Amino acid sequence: STPLYSSAASDVYKRQIPQVCEILHVSRSTVYRMIRDGNLKAHKAYRRVLVSEVSINNALIPINSGR
């Protein structure tokens, strides 16, 4: 199985969960589900979960293209 939290240093992890919720207009549980399902790449730094900007943008593409 694929890990929930990536440790790849190549991605830039910037956003915390509350920021991702605001950007995607979804709840915390939805963000965690998206991480679990592999739709968002996340990295755990101490007690914080940081989500990559690239994966947030990739998650926005299907939402915006449906209009």
Side-chain angles (χ1 to χ4, degrees), residues 3-55:
L4 294 180
Y5 302 103
S6 172
S7 60
S10 60
D11 282 331
V12 177
Y13 295 96
K14 291 186 177 179
R15 302 290 183 174
Q16 292 182 31
I17 298 299
Q19 295 171 319
V20 177
C21 293
E22 285 182 28
I23 293 168
L24 297 178
H25 301 285
V26 296
S27 66
R28 288 176 64 88
S29 59
T30 300
V31 171
Y32 283 110
R33 186 177 331 112
M34 291 174 80
I35 292 169
R36 185 186 67 226
D37 293 345
N39 298 324
L40 290 175
K41 285 187 181 180
H43 176 73
K44 201 157 190 179
Y46 300 102
R47 298 181 77 184
R48 293 180 179 173
V49 176
L50 303 176
V51 180
S52 94
E53 288 277 347
V54 173
S55 68

